[in-house]
């Protein structure tokens, strides 16, 4: 009896105490690990949202800046006209509404403000702002307006929110001839408003992908000026502190109705090229309730398993200790069952301490074999579950990538002119057949009307898809910048300037990217019917009756090129019914037909010649049908862009 009590006591001490210590250690480590993981997950989710917001803002700022180029020259011209009027009339009494109408400004979208030296609005077409004192509104405006008074030069700022209406407007500033007033113009743009709403909708939807984030909002702010959409005084204070210090600010929300801990973090993000606005502020609302519930559930299950394990082990130890007195022959017989894969055997023997020890070791060995077999099955299930989770992650990442490319496609399309713009300057016979190979393209077409001059082009940038689209955005911007510098320059001079901007952008210190574009660029004078044209690797075709006039391009791209030389400007006197055709290489290089060969330029030229008497819409439809029939089931080889303009 004493022997049995001694065995039971030793088993309890040798098994249950170590198990208790192991469970306690695992419990503590698991709890600490999950706490750290929760914090890391929340921080990582915030980091992901901030990075995605930065990328969205970069696309947004770049698109808005490109869009602004179309307004800057007009605002400068209007400011100059108002300057001329103020030389003859008093700034406080001049009828700005009549002046706005005479200047062709839109009364629903465009306003004029006259600001005196005391930074007070003394006359305006937007009556709610009459008498507005910028000094009292915010001290930040004082150095801003004083700098404009000192420089006496035209200044334009980025699109921003009008304080009282919340509309997105672009503002410009110009001193009056006597230097006593500032002429401020505010132009509303529906396209800019759509860009802004698209940006905000994309950012606000980010919380749906992250469990701990329940609110995402973006503000464009001026230092020391509250945002009227933030109602909570504590949040308003944190928002202003973020703008003032240009650092992140985190506060805990005072929400007794919430079961979890709620925090609001304001993240400062810089704004591109703005003198008036201090920067963007990203608002992130977090709630750790889902993670708290997850940890509590984990701890509950851990405790239940721990208690059941102790009970089961105690019962097993007690009954096993009572069965250690069976004969040694039974031990020998039981050991033979191991080779038959029967792991449910146990031993009950009586005898000396050595036999008891042997019985104990045998039963322990059998138990471990059973646990190993059971654990093996559990690991198979666990690995299968892990593979399924990895599959879901890959699908989610692929969805995110496609969404980003779709957004890039929207931005690229916003930079392209409308076909109706070209038709408005020429005739309904003008057309553009544009067929990108992928979601976004390296080919693009361009059009800009300046007075009696119409500039138009078809270009093919290096590559297609995402790389080609990025280069195309750069080249479109370079065309706008170069034309803005000198609207009356020749086409060859314009391409020289564009090449300089492209090379300068793509060459940084020791890193050099030899990307660029092939382009066919024309400038038509509506008064003289004279066409200036310059080509970089892409020719010009003019169909005049039965005759085809082919003008060869310069054999060099618009980009970094060894042996580069100035581009040539060709002048061609056009006649009525002339068809001007500009194109990239995608149409002629398409593989297809019965032998899967290239379409080729000769076939392309003959097809247009055969259909030259059709209208622009009919010729475009014929080109599309011919291309699709030739391509058939084959993959599209490259981006396709063809522009046609017929003189009447």
């Amino acid at each position: 009896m004493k022997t049995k009590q001694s065995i039971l006591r030793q088993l309890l001490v040798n098994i249950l105490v170590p198990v208790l210590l192991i469970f306690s250690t695992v419990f503590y480590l698991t709890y600490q690990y999950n706490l750290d993981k929760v914090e890391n997950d929340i921080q990582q989710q915030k980091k992901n949202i901030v990075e995605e917001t930065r990328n969205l803002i970069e696309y947004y700022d770049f698109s808005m800046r490109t869009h602004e180029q179309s307004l800057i020259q007009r605002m400068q011209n209007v400011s100059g006209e108002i300057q001329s009027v103020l030389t003859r009339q008093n700034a406080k009494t001049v009828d700005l509404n009549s002046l706005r109408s005479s200047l062709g400004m839109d009364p629903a979208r465009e306003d004029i403000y006259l600001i005196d030296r005391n930074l007070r609005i003394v006359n305006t077409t937007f009556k709610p702002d009459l008498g507005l004192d910028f000094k009292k509104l915010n001290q930040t405006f004082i150095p801003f307006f004083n700098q404009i008074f000192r420089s006496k030069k035209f200044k334009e700022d980025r699109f921003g929110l009008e304080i009282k209406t919340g509309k997105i407007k672009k503002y410009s500033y110009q001193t009056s001839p006597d230097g006593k007033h500032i002429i401020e113009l505010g132009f509303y743009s529906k396209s800019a408003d759509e860009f802004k709403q698209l940006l905000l909708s994309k950012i606000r939807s980010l919380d749906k992908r992250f469990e701990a984030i329940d609110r995402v909002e973006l503000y464009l702010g001026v230092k020391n000026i509250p945002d009227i959409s933030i109602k909570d005084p504590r949040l308003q204070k944190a928002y202003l502190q973020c703008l003032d210090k240009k650092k992140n600010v985190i506060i805990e929300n005072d929400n007794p109705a919430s079961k979890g801990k709620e925090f609001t973090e304001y993240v400062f993000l810089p704004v591109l090229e703005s003198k008036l606005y201090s920067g963007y502020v990203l608002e992130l609302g977090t709630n750790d309730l889902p993670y708290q519930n997850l940890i509590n559930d984990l701890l509950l299950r851990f405790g239940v398993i721990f208690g059941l394990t102790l009970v089961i082990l105690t019962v097993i130890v007690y009954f096993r200790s009572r069965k250690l007195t069976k004969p040694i022959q039974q031990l020998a017989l039981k050991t033979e069952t191991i080779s038959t894969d029967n792991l449910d055997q146990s031993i009950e023997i009586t005898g000396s301490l050595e036999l008891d020890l042997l019985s104990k070791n045998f039963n322990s060995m059998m138990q471990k074999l059973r646990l190993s077999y059971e654990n093996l099955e559990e690991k198979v299930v666990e690995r299968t579950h892990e593979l399924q989770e990895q599959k879901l992650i890959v699908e989610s990442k692929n969805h995110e990538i496609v969404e980003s490319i779709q957004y890039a496609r929207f931005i690229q399309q916003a930079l392209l002119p409308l076909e109706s713009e070209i038709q408005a300057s020429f005739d309904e016979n003008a057309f553009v057949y544009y067929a990108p190979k992928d979601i976004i393209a390296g080919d693009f077409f361009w059009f800009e009307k300046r007075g009696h001059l119409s500039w138009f082009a078809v270009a093919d940038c290096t590559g297609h898809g995402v790389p080609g689209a990025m280069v195309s955005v750069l080249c479109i911007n370079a065309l706008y910048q170069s034309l803005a510098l000198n609207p009356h320059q020749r086409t060859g001079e314009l391409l020289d300037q564009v090449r300089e901007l492209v090379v300068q952008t793509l060459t940084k210190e020791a890193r050099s990217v030899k990307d660029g574009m092939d382009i066919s660029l024309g400038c038509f004078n509506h008064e003289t019917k004279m066409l200036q044209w310059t080509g970089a690797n892409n020719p010009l075709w003019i169909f005049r009756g039965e005759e085809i006039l082919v003008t060869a391009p310069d054999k060099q791209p618009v980009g970094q090129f060894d042996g580069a030389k100035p581009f040539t400007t060709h002048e061609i006197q056009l006649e009525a019914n002339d068809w001007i055709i500009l194109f990239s290489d995608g149409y002629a290089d398409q593989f297809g037909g019965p032998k899967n060969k290239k379409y080729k330029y000769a076939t392309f030229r003959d097809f247009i010649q055969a259909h030259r008497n059709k209208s622009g819409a009919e010729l475009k439809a014929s080109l599309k049908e011919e291309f699709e029939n030739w391509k058939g089931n084959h993959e599209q080889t490259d981006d396709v862009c063809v522009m046609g303009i017929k003189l009447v």
Side-chain angles (χ1 to χ4, degrees), residues 538-590:
N538 284 347
L540 169 69
W541 292 350
I542 297 178
F543 294 82
R544 179 175 293 167
E546 298 295 329
E547 184 181 9
I548 303 175
L549 305 178
V550 178
T551 306
D554 293 314
K555 296 300 182 180
Q556 58 180 351
V558 179
Q560 189 172 5
F561 180 71
D562 294 334
K565 57 184 180 180
F567 284 99
T568 305
T569 300
H570 301 270
E571 292 190 346
I572 304 168
Q573 183 65 52
L574 298 182
E575 300 177 2
N577 296 321
D578 281 354
W579 264 113
I580 307 169
I581 303 295
L582 288 72
F583 50 87
S584 64
D585 59 359
Y587 199 107
D589 287 346
Q590 177 61 44

Side-chain angles (χ1 to χ4, degrees), residues 285-516:
T286 60
N287 190 329
D288 66 351
L289 180 60
Y291 290 97
Q292 286 189 22
N293 293 336
L294 180 65
I295 292 177
N296 292 336
D297 182 62
L298 176 65
L299 297 180
L300 177 61
R301 285 183 291 171
F302 202 100
V304 171
I305 294 173
F306 176 67
L308 290 176
T309 302
L310 287 180
V311 172
I312 293 172
L313 284 177
T314 302
V315 172
I316 291 175
V317 169
Y318 175 75
F319 284 101
R320 292 300 181 187
S321 65
R322 296 180 58 185
K323 297 179 180 181
L324 293 178
T325 58
K326 291 187 177 181
I328 192 169
Q329 291 82 3
Q330 185 180 1
L331 175 61
L333 292 175
K334 298 291 185 179
T335 55
E336 294 178 359
T337 62
I338 299 176
S339 61
T340 64
D341 294 334
N342 185 358
L343 304 179
D344 295 327
Q345 299 297 323
S346 61
I347 300 175
E348 300 177 2
I349 62 174
T350 58
S352 63
L353 293 175
E354 288 78 4
L355 291 177
D356 290 343
L357 179 61
L358 180 61
S359 176
K360 174 186 175 183
N361 291 337
F362 179 83
N363 288 330
S364 177
M365 178 185 67
M366 296 297 293
Q367 183 180 5
K368 290 180 179 179
L369 287 174
R370 286 195 299 273
L371 291 175
S372 297
Y373 184 77
E374 292 170 358
N375 289 337
L376 181 61
E377 292 182 340
E378 292 177 358
K379 288 182 178 179
V380 171
V381 175
E382 181 181 347
R383 293 295 183 267
T384 302
H385 179 67
E386 291 177 355
L387 289 175
Q388 184 65 23
E389 288 183 342
Q390 293 298 322
K391 177 176 176 291
L392 293 176
I393 292 174
V394 171
E395 291 176 348
S396 174
K397 293 298 183 183
N398 183 66
H399 179 69
E400 293 176 10
I401 292 172
V402 172
E403 276 194 339
S404 297
I405 295 177
Q406 290 286 4
Y407 183 70
R409 175 177 175 269
F410 174 83
I411 294 175
Q412 186 183 43
Q413 287 184 340
L415 298 177
L416 297 178
L418 297 175
E419 190 179 54
S420 59
E421 295 181 35
I422 305 174
Q423 293 173 345
S425 295
F426 288 95
D427 185 80
E428 292 183 354
N429 283 333
F431 72 88
V432 178
Y433 173 45
Y434 184 58
K437 178 182 183 296
D438 301 311
I439 298 177
I440 50 182
D443 280 15
F444 70 88
F445 57 96
W446 179 72
F447 177 82
E448 185 72 3
K449 180 73 177 293
R450 296 294 178 95
H452 61 277
L453 299 178
S454 288
W455 296 79
F456 48 90
V458 168
D460 180 5
C461 296
T462 305
H464 50 74
V466 175
M470 294 182 69
V471 178
S472 73
V473 171
L474 168 64
C475 293
I476 290 173
N477 188 47
L479 284 167
Y480 278 119
Q481 289 186 30
S482 300
L483 186 59
L485 290 174
N486 184 2
H488 301 289
Q489 59 188 315
R490 296 165 68 83
T491 54
E493 296 170 346
L494 180 68
L495 278 194
D496 290 337
Q497 179 66 28
V498 170
R499 175 170 59 190
E500 182 178 348
L501 290 174
V502 170
V503 172
Q504 181 181 359
T505 303
L506 295 178
T507 304
K508 303 294 184 182
E509 299 177 359
R511 296 179 291 113
S512 177
V513 180
K514 292 188 176 180
D515 284 340

Side-chain angles (χ1 to χ4, degrees), residues 71 253 540 633:
L71 298 178
N253 295 353
L540 169 69
N633 296 325

Side-chain angles (χ1 to χ4, degrees), residues 45-46 49-50 53 56 199-210 212-219 265 281-286:
Q45 290 180 24
K46 290 181 180 180
I49 289 179
V50 171
T53 301
L56 290 171
L199 172 69
L200 292 179
S201 66
K202 295 290 288 184
I203 290 175
R204 289 167 181 164
S205 66
L206 291 177
D207 65 322
K208 296 180 176 61
R209 303 210 316 265
F210 302 98
I213 308 299
D214 59 8
R215 185 177 70 262
V216 182
E217 188 60 75
L218 183 69
Y219 307 96
E265 180 173 0
V281 176
L282 179 66
E283 179 183 275
L284 299 176
T286 60

